[in-house]
Amino acid sequence: MYLALLVILLQCSELYTQERVFTFNTVEIKVQPSVKVKNGAPMSIVCHADISKSTDFQLKHNFTIFKDDKLVFMTVSDKRDAQYEISMARSSDTGEYECTVEAGGKTKSSNSLHVWVTGMTKPILTAEKKEVLEGEVVKLRCELPEEVPPLHFFFRKIKMNSTPKEKHVFEPYRNFSVVEFSVEEGDNILQFDCFGRRNVKLEFESSVHSNKTLVTVREPFIKPTLNAKPSSNITEGDRIQFECSTVVARMRGIEIILQKNKTILNSVRDERLLKYSAVATLEDSGEYLCKVEQGRASKTTKLNVVVSELFPKPILAASMSKLDENKELTLNCSISVFRKANFSILRKNSNGDIWLTNSRNLTMRVNVNDTGSYICKAEVKGIVKESKPVRINVYAPVSKPTLSVVSGLPEVVLGKPLRLICHSVMGTPPITFTFYKGNEVKKRVTNDTYATFLDENIRQNDKRGYKCDARNSHSSGMKTSNILNITVIVPIRNASLGSIPYGEVEDGSETAFLCSVKEGSWPIHFRIFRKTDREVLVFEKSENADRVIWHKKTMNRQDTGTYYCMASNKANVDVKSHPITISVILAAWQKGVIAAFVLIPIAGAVTLTLWWFLCKKKKAKGPSMEMSGSALATNLTSEKLTRQHNDGDYYSGSGYIEDSENHMKSADESKAPVQKGTETVYSEIRKANNDSVENRHSRIQGHPDAT
């Protein structure tokens, strides 16, 4: 029975659970009367939940309304609607609204809805002072009490019959702003107002203008008075006096300043009157300004003064502006239509003008130091006027120029540029220098005392000499230098080394080495080196020839090695030959001695053997055989001696030829006896000497007279 009741209860519980099923369809948010509401009007935010239920049962709803993600309203209701009432909408109520509904463990949110409360509250403007002095400032405060920053504030200063001056201030965090306006000269009664502006959805909305605030301005002093005595129209030489005055309420801090063209002429402090006097000149014509200042307040008065000319500027005339030294110069100072004046003539100088005479005329014999600018001055009634400067140039004649090579020696390496300098010790600049190569003009330069010329076209067979001339404005004319002849140095080309004998040389014999070059200016410095494990200089000589011969009298085993020669001249370029190898071998007599030491014991052994053999044979055959053996031995001995003598009449000789690299090589030894080989060596040396003289490389000069 209890079991049956339990089953029934469980089934009823399942049926009850199935009957309380619900789901959110939508959650909506609306604004009444519309999404745009005027400032001060009522506004309602309505949140509605659309829910579907399996049966009709009560469900509690938790409504939450957010503005710009901030909670503004919350309520619990069994109804499907909730309403957030705002009796008077303000611009601060503008924003993004969203509604969230929670029921039975389920939550649903609406889409966001933008609400714009149009119109801003009227700003409130207050002034720190209602009455100020000229030069002071007015401090203003503008507030939008019900608005939310960020806000823009605009302040206006309004004067009668003028355009208002406006200042703008952005306040990102405050709903008020403070500014200052300066009170300027001429400000009497001022009005100020302000208005606000905000940015809503990329659109600007402005408030109405605030109340107008009235500020009264008082003058700390009156506008100054500026007078000129005896008149503002006077003549040069007359004395003029300026007076500037004002009426001031408070003397402390008052200052009066007199200016002309922004230049302060005079000033006084804590006084009501300023005086300034001077002897009038033409330069004193113009506009004068009197300024009175106290604190920030400032007032000015202007006066125009005209000064008439008493006499014109003097004119200085010179008999000549360019002349030779020791010539006579006359200077004359004059004033048109005016003769009664005190004249003086001076020469301009950076340290002060140099006085020459207190007369209108000056005649003098000039020298170079008199070159400069001259002026004259005229004085009437204390007024001094100066003429325009006259430039006088006095010229000394140029001295004979000297032409030389910048590097020093009158020579140049072929292929290198030649730099010349032409210099005149004396002569008033500017001096014009002209460079010649032969009779051809190469360059003209105007300078003070020297000029340079670079010749990059140097040729081996160019015989033309160089010269230069110099001239200035002196009447003596041009001076010409001596002719400069240049030696052209031809660099060394193709050095070669040969030897006699070539290759193998007998110990103790003589060897001749020949070092030659194909081209190069004399003298040529020859050096011969031997290279084994190190390089050794074995011969050195300078020759006015294109070859040199070195006789090495006695060769020994230590002279074996590789030989090469180096040649150089004034071009300072070392040219190296190809190397040759020399091997020192044993001489013929040394080989004979060695052979003798080897052959004599062998010959003795043979003789003893033969003698033993003959003795044995003699014993065997008797006396007749002895005679036969003796004759045979005598014949053998005679034949041997004869053969040795004939062999001594001949010996191997050697000849030598020179290869393409000037190496002297050994000829076929079987074709030349020694005597003929020796003649060949010395004829080759003689031929080298003759060729050295005949093919001598002449030094190339810029002029036939050069050495």
Side-chain angles (χ1 to χ4, degrees), residues 482-532:
N482 294 331
I483 294 176
L484 177 66
N485 297 312
I486 300 297
T487 301
V488 180
I489 300 172
V490 181
I492 300 295
R493 187 165 66 90
N494 294 354
S496 61
L497 178 67
S499 69
I500 303 174
Y502 179 79
E504 292 185 348
V505 180
E506 290 186 353
D507 191 2
S509 66
E510 179 181 355
T511 301
F513 291 88
L514 174 64
C515 181
S516 63
V517 297
K518 190 171 184 179
E519 187 178 47
S521 295
W522 299 349
I524 301 176
H525 187 63
F526 296 93
R527 289 173 294 168
I528 299 177
F529 295 86
R530 181 179 72 243
K531 184 178 181 181
T532 52

Side-chain angles (χ1 to χ4, degrees), residues 274-318:
L274 175 146
K275 291 183 179 182
Y276 172 76
S277 65
V279 175
T281 64
L282 280 180
E283 290 74 18
D284 292 329
S285 293
E287 187 177 75
Y288 289 78
L289 182 142
C290 177
K291 180 186 290 187
V292 179
E293 296 179 338
Q294 189 177 46
R296 297 190 181 186
S298 175
K299 293 186 180 185
T300 60
T301 298
K302 296 179 180 179
L303 176 66
N304 193 52
V305 174
V306 177
V307 180
S308 301
E309 186 177 60
L310 177 63
F311 63 96
K313 285 186 176 182
I315 299 172
L316 180 65

Side-chain angles (χ1 to χ4, degrees), residues 131-135 183 187-188 216-221 249 299:
E131 187 178 85
V132 293
L133 293 173
E134 280 184 11
V183 180
D187 290 347
N188 295 319
T216 303
V217 179
R218 291 191 299 109
E219 287 185 313
F221 49 84
K299 293 186 180 185

Side-chain angles (χ1 to χ4, degrees), residues 635-649:
N635 291 335
L636 288 172
T637 304
S638 176
E639 183 179 352
K640 181 178 179 182
L641 291 174
T642 302
R643 186 175 301 162
Q644 289 176 352
H645 175 74
N646 291 338
D647 291 344
D649 289 341

